[in-house]
Amino acid sequence: GNSVTQMEGPVTLSEEAFLTINCTYTATGYPSLFWYVQYPGEGLQLLLKATKADDKGSNKGFEATYRKETTSFHLEKGSVQVSDSAVYFCALRSTGNQFYFGTGTSLTVIP
Amino acid sequence: NAGVTQTPKFQVLKTGQSMTLQCAQDMNHEYMSWYRQDPGMGLRLIHYSVGAGITDQGEVPNGYNVSRSTTEDFPLRLLSAAPSQTSVYFCASSRDRANTEAFFGQGTRLTVV
């Protein structure tokens, strides 16, 4: 079956620290992979995506690489800001077109 | 461009009441879905639709009905509200292609007392 497992939070970092949020997946076929961000009181917004193995998605200083050999799609950012405080969701879209989401990782960045 | 619009944003219901959560999208997307978000459980799929006249059940469909009479609208009906349905509900839409992302509404926070 299809599933996404992501690092449990909450994660608290100081401003300018390096961020990694781990995400691994199980899927049949060749899924597309996504990171979404949710700010308080809002819906999920697409942060970045990768649609095939070895693709790197990037946006707003965040990056993630689609690693088929390790079935992973870890989110990284070199220097976090207070404004990055949010909940981050890893997701996959299977060849059956359904989405599968991880449980979310809450990030708090302190000045 | 409105994207995905959900109404209402907040709702309080008494146990046993029924109501409809509205969802509309203006992107001509084939695929629409409803999720509920509960603490520590991520997003769970309630129902989805791949086009007008076609709906199917997701992971947690009990207690909910949907219909898709037009491409734009995908309402979610709670038949007889229960406290276990207290949650935040999100509607999402996307093109019906595996490499495309979902667009989400702002959510409806529902409390059943």
Side-chain angles (χ1 to χ4, degrees), chain A residues 32 34 36 38 42-44 46 49 51 89 93-94 97-99 101-103, chain B residues 31 35 37 42-43 45 48 90 94-102 104-105:
Chain A
S32 294
F34 307 86
Y36 283 86
Q38 184 181 31
E42 298 186 10
L44 279 70
L46 178 69
K49 71 177 186 181
T51 59
F89 290 90
R93 191 171 193 186
S94 67
N97 284 350
Q98 281 197 32
F99 287 89
F101 289 87
T103 53
Chain B
Y31 190 98
Y35 297 88
Q37 183 179 28
L43 292 166
L45 181 65
Y48 67 98
F90 288 100
S94 64
R95 297 185 65 191
D96 194 21
R97 287 189 191 173
N99 62 355
T100 57
E101 65 269 24
F104 283 82

PDB file of all heavy atoms in Angstrom, chain A residues 32 34 36 38 42-44 46 49 51 89 93-94 97-99 101-103, chain B residues 31 35 37 42-43 45 48 90 94-102 104-105:
ATOM      1  N   SER A  32       4.447  10.834  -7.168  1.00  0.00           N
ATOM      2  CA  SER A  32       4.987  12.182  -7.043  1.00  0.00           C
ATOM      3  C   SER A  32       5.014  12.527  -5.560  1.00  0.00           C
ATOM      4  O   SER A  32       4.181  12.053  -4.787  1.00  0.00           O
ATOM      5  CB  SER A  32       4.109  13.188  -7.791  1.00  0.00           C
ATOM      6  OG  SER A  32       4.156  12.937  -9.177  1.00  0.00           O
ATOM      7  N   PHE A  34       5.507  15.560  -2.396  1.00  0.00           N
ATOM      8  CA  PHE A  34       5.196  16.956  -2.115  1.00  0.00           C
ATOM      9  C   PHE A  34       5.543  17.299  -0.672  1.00  0.00           C
ATOM     10  O   PHE A  34       5.474  16.443   0.220  1.00  0.00           O
ATOM     11  CB  PHE A  34       3.691  17.232  -2.299  1.00  0.00           C
ATOM     12  CG  PHE A  34       3.143  16.811  -3.636  1.00  0.00           C
ATOM     13  CD1 PHE A  34       2.706  15.522  -3.848  1.00  0.00           C
ATOM     14  CD2 PHE A  34       3.053  17.728  -4.673  1.00  0.00           C
ATOM     15  CE1 PHE A  34       2.192  15.122  -5.075  1.00  0.00           C
ATOM     16  CE2 PHE A  34       2.541  17.339  -5.907  1.00  0.00           C
ATOM     17  CZ  PHE A  34       2.116  16.037  -6.105  1.00  0.00           C
ATOM     18  N   TYR A  36       4.016  20.268   1.904  1.00  0.00           N
ATOM     19  CA  TYR A  36       3.054  21.330   2.114  1.00  0.00           C
ATOM     20  C   TYR A  36       3.372  22.026   3.437  1.00  0.00           C
ATOM     21  O   TYR A  36       3.912  21.413   4.363  1.00  0.00           O
ATOM     22  CB  TYR A  36       1.625  20.784   2.189  1.00  0.00           C
ATOM     23  CG  TYR A  36       1.030  20.434   0.850  1.00  0.00           C
ATOM     24  CD1 TYR A  36       1.253  19.198   0.280  1.00  0.00           C
ATOM     25  CD2 TYR A  36       0.242  21.347   0.162  1.00  0.00           C
ATOM     26  CE1 TYR A  36       0.704  18.870  -0.957  1.00  0.00           C
ATOM     27  CE2 TYR A  36      -0.309  21.034  -1.069  1.00  0.00           C
ATOM     28  CZ  TYR A  36      -0.065  19.792  -1.619  1.00  0.00           C
ATOM     29  OH  TYR A  36      -0.607  19.475  -2.841  1.00  0.00           O
ATOM     30  N   GLN A  38       1.550  24.576   6.488  1.00  0.00           N
ATOM     31  CA  GLN A  38       0.288  25.091   7.030  1.00  0.00           C
ATOM     32  C   GLN A  38       0.593  26.101   8.123  1.00  0.00           C
ATOM     33  O   GLN A  38       1.149  25.753   9.169  1.00  0.00           O
ATOM     34  CB  GLN A  38      -0.560  23.957   7.599  1.00  0.00           C
ATOM     35  CG  GLN A  38      -1.931  24.413   8.097  1.00  0.00           C
ATOM     36  CD  GLN A  38      -2.745  23.279   8.686  1.00  0.00           C
ATOM     37  OE1 GLN A  38      -2.200  22.332   9.258  1.00  0.00           O
ATOM     38  NE2 GLN A  38      -4.063  23.353   8.538  1.00  0.00           N
ATOM     39  N   GLU A  42      -4.843  28.448   8.767  1.00  0.00           N
ATOM     40  CA  GLU A  42      -4.947  28.442   7.312  1.00  0.00           C
ATOM     41  C   GLU A  42      -4.969  27.022   6.757  1.00  0.00           C
ATOM     42  O   GLU A  42      -4.726  26.053   7.471  1.00  0.00           O
ATOM     43  CB  GLU A  42      -3.787  29.213   6.708  1.00  0.00           C
ATOM     44  CG  GLU A  42      -3.755  30.680   7.096  1.00  0.00           C
ATOM     45  CD  GLU A  42      -2.680  31.443   6.359  1.00  0.00           C
ATOM     46  OE1 GLU A  42      -2.084  30.894   5.410  1.00  0.00           O
ATOM     47  OE2 GLU A  42      -2.431  32.599   6.740  1.00  0.00           O
ATOM     48  N   GLY A  43      -5.247  26.933   5.459  1.00  0.00           N
ATOM     49  CA  GLY A  43      -5.181  25.655   4.777  1.00  0.00           C
ATOM     50  C   GLY A  43      -3.748  25.323   4.393  1.00  0.00           C
ATOM     51  O   GLY A  43      -2.828  26.098   4.634  1.00  0.00           O
ATOM     52  N   LEU A  44      -3.566  24.152   3.807  1.00  0.00           N
ATOM     53  CA  LEU A  44      -2.235  23.739   3.379  1.00  0.00           C
ATOM     54  C   LEU A  44      -1.873  24.435   2.076  1.00  0.00           C
ATOM     55  O   LEU A  44      -2.706  24.589   1.179  1.00  0.00           O
ATOM     56  CB  LEU A  44      -2.184  22.221   3.160  1.00  0.00           C
ATOM     57  CG  LEU A  44      -2.016  21.357   4.397  1.00  0.00           C
ATOM     58  CD1 LEU A  44      -3.254  21.375   5.266  1.00  0.00           C
ATOM     59  CD2 LEU A  44      -1.690  19.922   3.990  1.00  0.00           C
ATOM     60  N   LEU A  46       1.143  24.433  -1.056  1.00  0.00           N
ATOM     61  CA  LEU A  46       2.266  23.691  -1.617  1.00  0.00           C
ATOM     62  C   LEU A  46       3.565  24.457  -1.387  1.00  0.00           C
ATOM     63  O   LEU A  46       3.664  25.646  -1.692  1.00  0.00           O
ATOM     64  CB  LEU A  46       2.062  23.483  -3.113  1.00  0.00           C
ATOM     65  CG  LEU A  46       3.189  22.749  -3.828  1.00  0.00           C
ATOM     66  CD1 LEU A  46       3.231  21.284  -3.393  1.00  0.00           C
ATOM     67  CD2 LEU A  46       3.046  22.865  -5.338  1.00  0.00           C
ATOM     68  N   LYS A  49       7.670  20.369  -4.822  1.00  0.00           N
ATOM     69  CA  LYS A  49       7.307  19.028  -5.249  1.00  0.00           C
ATOM     70  C   LYS A  49       8.412  18.435  -6.131  1.00  0.00           C
ATOM     71  O   LYS A  49       9.266  19.160  -6.663  1.00  0.00           O
ATOM     72  CB  LYS A  49       5.984  19.021  -6.014  1.00  0.00           C
ATOM     73  CG  LYS A  49       6.054  19.640  -7.409  1.00  0.00           C
ATOM     74  CD  LYS A  49       4.692  19.518  -8.108  1.00  0.00           C
ATOM     75  CE  LYS A  49       4.787  19.992  -9.558  1.00  0.00           C
ATOM     76  NZ  LYS A  49       3.458  19.912 -10.248  1.00  0.00           N
ATOM     77  N   THR A  51       8.592  15.065  -9.082  1.00  0.00           N
ATOM     78  CA  THR A  51       7.721  14.094  -9.745  1.00  0.00           C
ATOM     79  C   THR A  51       8.435  12.838 -10.220  1.00  0.00           C
ATOM     80  O   THR A  51       7.775  11.895 -10.661  1.00  0.00           O
ATOM     81  CB  THR A  51       7.005  14.745 -10.934  1.00  0.00           C
ATOM     82  OG1 THR A  51       7.999  15.238 -11.845  1.00  0.00           O
ATOM     83  CG2 THR A  51       6.120  15.889 -10.479  1.00  0.00           C
ATOM     84  N   PHE A  89       3.915  19.227   6.123  1.00  0.00           N
ATOM     85  CA  PHE A  89       3.372  17.906   5.780  1.00  0.00           C
ATOM     86  C   PHE A  89       4.082  17.371   4.545  1.00  0.00           C
ATOM     87  O   PHE A  89       4.168  18.045   3.521  1.00  0.00           O
ATOM     88  CB  PHE A  89       1.879  17.996   5.456  1.00  0.00           C
ATOM     89  CG  PHE A  89       1.001  18.286   6.620  1.00  0.00           C
ATOM     90  CD1 PHE A  89       0.695  19.593   6.972  1.00  0.00           C
ATOM     91  CD2 PHE A  89       0.471  17.245   7.376  1.00  0.00           C
ATOM     92  CE1 PHE A  89      -0.126  19.863   8.055  1.00  0.00           C
ATOM     93  CE2 PHE A  89      -0.356  17.512   8.455  1.00  0.00           C
ATOM     94  CZ  PHE A  89      -0.650  18.818   8.799  1.00  0.00           C
ATOM     95  N   ARG A  93       1.511  11.362  -4.069  1.00  0.00           N
ATOM     96  CA  ARG A  93       0.348  11.117  -4.916  1.00  0.00           C
ATOM     97  C   ARG A  93       0.664   9.880  -5.734  1.00  0.00           C
ATOM     98  O   ARG A  93       1.651   9.854  -6.483  1.00  0.00           O
ATOM     99  CB  ARG A  93       0.033  12.295  -5.824  1.00  0.00           C
ATOM    100  CG  ARG A  93      -1.331  12.132  -6.495  1.00  0.00           C
ATOM    101  CD  ARG A  93      -1.783  13.357  -7.228  1.00  0.00           C
ATOM    102  NE  ARG A  93      -3.202  13.241  -7.562  1.00  0.00           N
ATOM    103  CZ  ARG A  93      -3.874  14.108  -8.308  1.00  0.00           C
ATOM    104  NH1 ARG A  93      -3.256  15.177  -8.806  1.00  0.00           N
ATOM    105  NH2 ARG A  93      -5.152  13.922  -8.551  1.00  0.00           N
ATOM    106  N   SER A  94      -0.173   8.874  -5.546  1.00  0.00           N
ATOM    107  CA  SER A  94       0.081   7.581  -6.165  1.00  0.00           C
ATOM    108  C   SER A  94      -0.386   7.572  -7.610  1.00  0.00           C
ATOM    109  O   SER A  94      -1.079   8.487  -8.066  1.00  0.00           O
ATOM    110  CB  SER A  94      -0.641   6.489  -5.375  1.00  0.00           C
ATOM    111  OG  SER A  94      -2.044   6.664  -5.521  1.00  0.00           O
ATOM    112  N   ASN A  97      -3.840   8.261  -8.256  1.00  0.00           N
ATOM    113  CA  ASN A  97      -4.189   9.679  -8.111  1.00  0.00           C
ATOM    114  C   ASN A  97      -4.675  10.118  -6.748  1.00  0.00           C
ATOM    115  O   ASN A  97      -5.015  11.270  -6.564  1.00  0.00           O
ATOM    116  CB  ASN A  97      -5.192  10.125  -9.188  1.00  0.00           C
ATOM    117  CG  ASN A  97      -4.501  10.309 -10.518  1.00  0.00           C
ATOM    118  OD1 ASN A  97      -3.273  10.293 -10.587  1.00  0.00           O
ATOM    119  ND2 ASN A  97      -5.260  10.472 -11.569  1.00  0.00           N
ATOM    120  N   GLN A  98      -4.696   9.227  -5.756  1.00  0.00           N
ATOM    121  CA  GLN A  98      -5.031   9.677  -4.409  1.00  0.00           C
ATOM    122  C   GLN A  98      -3.794  10.250  -3.742  1.00  0.00           C
ATOM    123  O   GLN A  98      -2.665   9.860  -4.044  1.00  0.00           O
ATOM    124  CB  GLN A  98      -5.559   8.507  -3.574  1.00  0.00           C
ATOM    125  CG  GLN A  98      -6.996   8.165  -3.866  1.00  0.00           C
ATOM    126  CD  GLN A  98      -7.595   7.316  -2.766  1.00  0.00           C
ATOM    127  OE1 GLN A  98      -7.214   7.453  -1.609  1.00  0.00           O
ATOM    128  NE2 GLN A  98      -8.531   6.467  -3.111  1.00  0.00           N
ATOM    129  N   PHE A  99      -4.021  11.175  -2.811  1.00  0.00           N
ATOM    130  CA  PHE A  99      -2.949  11.753  -2.011  1.00  0.00           C
ATOM    131  C   PHE A  99      -2.872  11.021  -0.669  1.00  0.00           C
ATOM    132  O   PHE A  99      -3.890  10.629  -0.099  1.00  0.00           O
ATOM    133  CB  PHE A  99      -3.223  13.235  -1.732  1.00  0.00           C
ATOM    134  CG  PHE A  99      -3.039  14.125  -2.920  1.00  0.00           C
ATOM    135  CD1 PHE A  99      -4.098  14.364  -3.792  1.00  0.00           C
ATOM    136  CD2 PHE A  99      -1.826  14.743  -3.169  1.00  0.00           C
ATOM    137  CE1 PHE A  99      -3.945  15.179  -4.890  1.00  0.00           C
ATOM    138  CE2 PHE A  99      -1.663  15.572  -4.269  1.00  0.00           C
ATOM    139  CZ  PHE A  99      -2.719  15.792  -5.127  1.00  0.00           C
ATOM    140  N   PHE A 101      -0.927  11.652   3.114  1.00  0.00           N
ATOM    141  CA  PHE A 101      -0.214  12.661   3.881  1.00  0.00           C
ATOM    142  C   PHE A 101       0.425  12.053   5.119  1.00  0.00           C
ATOM    143  O   PHE A 101      -0.125  11.140   5.736  1.00  0.00           O
ATOM    144  CB  PHE A 101      -1.171  13.770   4.332  1.00  0.00           C
ATOM    145  CG  PHE A 101      -1.641  14.648   3.207  1.00  0.00           C
ATOM    146  CD1 PHE A 101      -2.751  14.304   2.456  1.00  0.00           C
ATOM    147  CD2 PHE A 101      -0.970  15.817   2.899  1.00  0.00           C
ATOM    148  CE1 PHE A 101      -3.189  15.097   1.415  1.00  0.00           C
ATOM    149  CE2 PHE A 101      -1.392  16.627   1.859  1.00  0.00           C
ATOM    150  CZ  PHE A 101      -2.493  16.263   1.115  1.00  0.00           C
ATOM    151  N   GLY A 102       1.572  12.600   5.507  1.00  0.00           N
ATOM    152  CA  GLY A 102       2.146  12.297   6.802  1.00  0.00           C
ATOM    153  C   GLY A 102       1.370  13.018   7.887  1.00  0.00           C
ATOM    154  O   GLY A 102       0.444  13.792   7.617  1.00  0.00           O
ATOM    155  N   THR A 103       1.760  12.790   9.128  1.00  0.00           N
ATOM    156  CA  THR A 103       1.023  13.350  10.261  1.00  0.00           C
ATOM    157  C   THR A 103       1.391  14.798  10.563  1.00  0.00           C
ATOM    158  O   THR A 103       0.762  15.422  11.404  1.00  0.00           O
ATOM    159  CB  THR A 103       1.232  12.510  11.524  1.00  0.00           C
ATOM    160  OG1 THR A 103       2.631  12.362  11.742  1.00  0.00           O
ATOM    161  CG2 THR A 103       0.589  11.139  11.380  1.00  0.00           C
TER     162      THR A 103
ATOM    163  N   TYR B  31     -10.518  16.534 -10.046  1.00  0.00           N
ATOM    164  CA  TYR B  31     -10.398  15.784  -8.796  1.00  0.00           C
ATOM    165  C   TYR B  31     -10.675  16.705  -7.624  1.00  0.00           C
ATOM    166  O   TYR B  31     -10.049  17.755  -7.477  1.00  0.00           O
ATOM    167  CB  TYR B  31      -8.984  15.202  -8.703  1.00  0.00           C
ATOM    168  CG  TYR B  31      -8.757  14.207  -7.596  1.00  0.00           C
ATOM    169  CD1 TYR B  31      -8.805  12.840  -7.847  1.00  0.00           C
ATOM    170  CD2 TYR B  31      -8.451  14.625  -6.304  1.00  0.00           C
ATOM    171  CE1 TYR B  31      -8.580  11.915  -6.840  1.00  0.00           C
ATOM    172  CE2 TYR B  31      -8.229  13.716  -5.291  1.00  0.00           C
ATOM    173  CZ  TYR B  31      -8.282  12.360  -5.567  1.00  0.00           C
ATOM    174  OH  TYR B  31      -8.056  11.441  -4.569  1.00  0.00           O
ATOM    175  N   TYR B  35     -11.059  16.186   3.471  1.00  0.00           N
ATOM    176  CA  TYR B  35     -10.227  15.613   4.519  1.00  0.00           C
ATOM    177  C   TYR B  35     -10.693  16.160   5.860  1.00  0.00           C
ATOM    178  O   TYR B  35     -11.225  17.254   5.951  1.00  0.00           O
ATOM    179  CB  TYR B  35      -8.763  16.018   4.346  1.00  0.00           C
ATOM    180  CG  TYR B  35      -8.113  15.535   3.076  1.00  0.00           C
ATOM    181  CD1 TYR B  35      -8.177  16.279   1.907  1.00  0.00           C
ATOM    182  CD2 TYR B  35      -7.411  14.332   3.046  1.00  0.00           C
ATOM    183  CE1 TYR B  35      -7.581  15.841   0.737  1.00  0.00           C
ATOM    184  CE2 TYR B  35      -6.794  13.890   1.882  1.00  0.00           C
ATOM    185  CZ  TYR B  35      -6.890  14.645   0.742  1.00  0.00           C
ATOM    186  OH  TYR B  35      -6.291  14.211  -0.416  1.00  0.00           O
ATOM    187  N   GLN B  37      -8.877  16.943   9.680  1.00  0.00           N
ATOM    188  CA  GLN B  37      -7.579  17.063  10.333  1.00  0.00           C
ATOM    189  C   GLN B  37      -7.781  17.033  11.834  1.00  0.00           C
ATOM    190  O   GLN B  37      -8.457  17.903  12.396  1.00  0.00           O
ATOM    191  CB  GLN B  37      -6.870  18.362   9.927  1.00  0.00           C
ATOM    192  CG  GLN B  37      -5.482  18.502  10.526  1.00  0.00           C
ATOM    193  CD  GLN B  37      -4.780  19.772  10.099  1.00  0.00           C
ATOM    194  OE1 GLN B  37      -5.402  20.777   9.805  1.00  0.00           O
ATOM    195  NE2 GLN B  37      -3.453  19.730  10.053  1.00  0.00           N
ATOM    196  N   GLY B  42      -2.751  13.822  11.311  1.00  0.00           N
ATOM    197  CA  GLY B  42      -2.582  14.316   9.957  1.00  0.00           C
ATOM    198  C   GLY B  42      -3.911  14.538   9.268  1.00  0.00           C
ATOM    199  O   GLY B  42      -4.917  14.862   9.898  1.00  0.00           O
ATOM    200  N   LEU B  43      -3.919  14.327   7.968  1.00  0.00           N
ATOM    201  CA  LEU B  43      -5.127  14.491   7.162  1.00  0.00           C
ATOM    202  C   LEU B  43      -5.672  13.116   6.793  1.00  0.00           C
ATOM    203  O   LEU B  43      -4.925  12.274   6.287  1.00  0.00           O
ATOM    204  CB  LEU B  43      -4.803  15.255   5.881  1.00  0.00           C
ATOM    205  CG  LEU B  43      -4.413  16.716   6.061  1.00  0.00           C
ATOM    206  CD1 LEU B  43      -3.804  17.259   4.803  1.00  0.00           C
ATOM    207  CD2 LEU B  43      -5.616  17.541   6.466  1.00  0.00           C
ATOM    208  N   LEU B  45      -8.615  11.119   4.555  1.00  0.00           N
ATOM    209  CA  LEU B  45      -9.513  11.296   3.423  1.00  0.00           C
ATOM    210  C   LEU B  45     -10.902  10.774   3.764  1.00  0.00           C
ATOM    211  O   LEU B  45     -11.071   9.626   4.186  1.00  0.00           O
ATOM    212  CB  LEU B  45      -8.950  10.561   2.204  1.00  0.00           C
ATOM    213  CG  LEU B  45      -9.746  10.648   0.909  1.00  0.00           C
ATOM    214  CD1 LEU B  45      -9.763  12.082   0.396  1.00  0.00           C
ATOM    215  CD2 LEU B  45      -9.131   9.721  -0.139  1.00  0.00           C
ATOM    216  N   TYR B  48     -13.929  11.395  -2.045  1.00  0.00           N
ATOM    217  CA  TYR B  48     -13.323  12.088  -3.164  1.00  0.00           C
ATOM    218  C   TYR B  48     -14.146  11.885  -4.424  1.00  0.00           C
ATOM    219  O   TYR B  48     -15.048  11.039  -4.470  1.00  0.00           O
ATOM    220  CB  TYR B  48     -11.875  11.653  -3.376  1.00  0.00           C
ATOM    221  CG  TYR B  48     -11.701  10.217  -3.817  1.00  0.00           C
ATOM    222  CD1 TYR B  48     -11.508   9.898  -5.153  1.00  0.00           C
ATOM    223  CD2 TYR B  48     -11.688   9.179  -2.879  1.00  0.00           C
ATOM    224  CE1 TYR B  48     -11.336   8.589  -5.557  1.00  0.00           C
ATOM    225  CE2 TYR B  48     -11.516   7.867  -3.273  1.00  0.00           C
ATOM    226  CZ  TYR B  48     -11.331   7.570  -4.612  1.00  0.00           C
ATOM    227  OH  TYR B  48     -11.158   6.270  -5.007  1.00  0.00           O
ATOM    228  N   PHE B  90     -11.078  20.099   5.536  1.00  0.00           N
ATOM    229  CA  PHE B  90     -10.477  20.755   4.383  1.00  0.00           C
ATOM    230  C   PHE B  90     -10.987  20.129   3.101  1.00  0.00           C
ATOM    231  O   PHE B  90     -11.041  18.905   2.964  1.00  0.00           O
ATOM    232  CB  PHE B  90      -8.952  20.637   4.413  1.00  0.00           C
ATOM    233  CG  PHE B  90      -8.309  21.483   5.460  1.00  0.00           C
ATOM    234  CD1 PHE B  90      -7.901  20.926   6.659  1.00  0.00           C
ATOM    235  CD2 PHE B  90      -8.102  22.838   5.246  1.00  0.00           C
ATOM    236  CE1 PHE B  90      -7.306  21.704   7.637  1.00  0.00           C
ATOM    237  CE2 PHE B  90      -7.508  23.626   6.221  1.00  0.00           C
ATOM    238  CZ  PHE B  90      -7.110  23.056   7.417  1.00  0.00           C
ATOM    239  N   SER B  94      -7.653  19.251  -7.494  1.00  0.00           N
ATOM    240  CA  SER B  94      -6.454  19.106  -8.309  1.00  0.00           C
ATOM    241  C   SER B  94      -6.853  18.614  -9.689  1.00  0.00           C
ATOM    242  O   SER B  94      -7.970  18.134  -9.897  1.00  0.00           O
ATOM    243  CB  SER B  94      -5.467  18.125  -7.670  1.00  0.00           C
ATOM    244  OG  SER B  94      -6.024  16.834  -7.621  1.00  0.00           O
ATOM    245  N   ARG B  95      -5.927  18.713 -10.611  1.00  0.00           N
ATOM    246  CA  ARG B  95      -6.124  18.043 -11.888  1.00  0.00           C
ATOM    247  C   ARG B  95      -6.005  16.540 -11.651  1.00  0.00           C
ATOM    248  O   ARG B  95      -5.348  16.095 -10.699  1.00  0.00           O
ATOM    249  CB  ARG B  95      -5.083  18.528 -12.883  1.00  0.00           C
ATOM    250  CG  ARG B  95      -5.197  20.013 -13.181  1.00  0.00           C
ATOM    251  CD  ARG B  95      -4.242  20.424 -14.259  1.00  0.00           C
ATOM    252  NE  ARG B  95      -4.566  19.791 -15.533  1.00  0.00           N
ATOM    253  CZ  ARG B  95      -3.770  19.809 -16.592  1.00  0.00           C
ATOM    254  NH1 ARG B  95      -2.596  20.420 -16.532  1.00  0.00           N
ATOM    255  NH2 ARG B  95      -4.129  19.220 -17.725  1.00  0.00           N
ATOM    256  N   ASP B  96      -6.630  15.778 -12.489  1.00  0.00           N
ATOM    257  CA  ASP B  96      -6.629  14.333 -12.310  1.00  0.00           C
ATOM    258  C   ASP B  96      -5.410  13.720 -12.994  1.00  0.00           C
ATOM    259  O   ASP B  96      -5.524  12.878 -13.876  1.00  0.00           O
ATOM    260  CB  ASP B  96      -7.922  13.726 -12.853  1.00  0.00           C
ATOM    261  CG  ASP B  96      -8.122  12.291 -12.397  1.00  0.00           C
ATOM    262  OD1 ASP B  96      -7.501  11.912 -11.384  1.00  0.00           O
ATOM    263  OD2 ASP B  96      -8.882  11.563 -13.046  1.00  0.00           O
ATOM    264  N   ARG B  97      -4.248  14.206 -12.569  1.00  0.00           N
ATOM    265  CA  ARG B  97      -2.991  13.651 -13.070  1.00  0.00           C
ATOM    266  C   ARG B  97      -2.069  13.447 -11.879  1.00  0.00           C
ATOM    267  O   ARG B  97      -1.974  14.303 -11.008  1.00  0.00           O
ATOM    268  CB  ARG B  97      -2.318  14.613 -14.047  1.00  0.00           C
ATOM    269  CG  ARG B  97      -2.986  14.712 -15.374  1.00  0.00           C
ATOM    270  CD  ARG B  97      -2.123  15.505 -16.333  1.00  0.00           C
ATOM    271  NE  ARG B  97      -2.854  15.831 -17.537  1.00  0.00           N
ATOM    272  CZ  ARG B  97      -2.388  16.622 -18.489  1.00  0.00           C
ATOM    273  NH1 ARG B  97      -1.201  17.173 -18.363  1.00  0.00           N
ATOM    274  NH2 ARG B  97      -3.110  16.862 -19.563  1.00  0.00           N
ATOM    275  N   ALA B  98      -1.333  12.362 -11.891  1.00  0.00           N
ATOM    276  CA  ALA B  98      -0.561  11.956 -10.714  1.00  0.00           C
ATOM    277  C   ALA B  98       0.540  12.939 -10.351  1.00  0.00           C
ATOM    278  O   ALA B  98       0.962  12.992  -9.213  1.00  0.00           O
ATOM    279  CB  ALA B  98       0.025  10.572 -10.943  1.00  0.00           C
ATOM    280  N   ASN B  99       1.040  13.738 -11.292  1.00  0.00           N
ATOM    281  CA  ASN B  99       2.169  14.607 -10.982  1.00  0.00           C
ATOM    282  C   ASN B  99       1.754  16.033 -10.647  1.00  0.00           C
ATOM    283  O   ASN B  99       2.585  16.947 -10.645  1.00  0.00           O
ATOM    284  CB  ASN B  99       3.167  14.597 -12.139  1.00  0.00           C
ATOM    285  CG  ASN B  99       2.561  15.140 -13.417  1.00  0.00           C
ATOM    286  OD1 ASN B  99       1.365  15.429 -13.451  1.00  0.00           O
ATOM    287  ND2 ASN B  99       3.365  15.294 -14.440  1.00  0.00           N
ATOM    288  N   THR B 100       0.468  16.238 -10.361  1.00  0.00           N
ATOM    289  CA  THR B 100      -0.001  17.590 -10.062  1.00  0.00           C
ATOM    290  C   THR B 100      -0.401  17.708  -8.595  1.00  0.00           C
ATOM    291  O   THR B 100      -0.849  16.745  -7.969  1.00  0.00           O
ATOM    292  CB  THR B 100      -1.184  17.986 -10.942  1.00  0.00           C
ATOM    293  OG1 THR B 100      -2.238  17.028 -10.768  1.00  0.00           O
ATOM    294  CG2 THR B 100      -0.783  18.010 -12.408  1.00  0.00           C
ATOM    295  N   GLU B 101      -0.276  18.935  -8.073  1.00  0.00           N
ATOM    296  CA  GLU B 101      -0.516  19.154  -6.657  1.00  0.00           C
ATOM    297  C   GLU B 101      -1.979  19.451  -6.373  1.00  0.00           C
ATOM    298  O   GLU B 101      -2.750  19.778  -7.263  1.00  0.00           O
ATOM    299  CB  GLU B 101       0.349  20.322  -6.155  1.00  0.00           C
ATOM    300  CG  GLU B 101       0.015  21.669  -6.753  1.00  0.00           C
ATOM    301  CD  GLU B 101       0.818  21.966  -8.005  1.00  0.00           C
ATOM    302  OE1 GLU B 101       1.286  21.016  -8.690  1.00  0.00           O
ATOM    303  OE2 GLU B 101       0.968  23.159  -8.312  1.00  0.00           O
ATOM    304  N   ALA B 102      -2.326  19.334  -5.100  1.00  0.00           N
ATOM    305  CA  ALA B 102      -3.656  19.696  -4.626  1.00  0.00           C
ATOM    306  C   ALA B 102      -3.649  21.134  -4.127  1.00  0.00           C
ATOM    307  O   ALA B 102      -2.656  21.614  -3.588  1.00  0.00           O
ATOM    308  CB  ALA B 102      -4.084  18.765  -3.502  1.00  0.00           C
ATOM    309  N   PHE B 104      -5.793  23.658  -1.577  1.00  0.00           N
ATOM    310  CA  PHE B 104      -6.663  23.507  -0.419  1.00  0.00           C
ATOM    311  C   PHE B 104      -7.463  24.767  -0.135  1.00  0.00           C
ATOM    312  O   PHE B 104      -6.997  25.890  -0.363  1.00  0.00           O
ATOM    313  CB  PHE B 104      -5.829  23.182   0.823  1.00  0.00           C
ATOM    314  CG  PHE B 104      -5.361  21.760   0.869  1.00  0.00           C
ATOM    315  CD1 PHE B 104      -4.243  21.356   0.163  1.00  0.00           C
ATOM    316  CD2 PHE B 104      -6.053  20.822   1.613  1.00  0.00           C
ATOM    317  CE1 PHE B 104      -3.811  20.042   0.194  1.00  0.00           C
ATOM    318  CE2 PHE B 104      -5.633  19.507   1.654  1.00  0.00           C
ATOM    319  CZ  PHE B 104      -4.511  19.118   0.942  1.00  0.00           C
ATOM    320  N   GLY B 105      -8.668  24.562   0.410  1.00  0.00           N
ATOM    321  CA  GLY B 105      -9.422  25.662   0.972  1.00  0.00           C
ATOM    322  C   GLY B 105      -8.877  26.043   2.343  1.00  0.00           C
ATOM    323  O   GLY B 105      -7.943  25.425   2.851  1.00  0.00           O
TER     324      GLY B 105
END
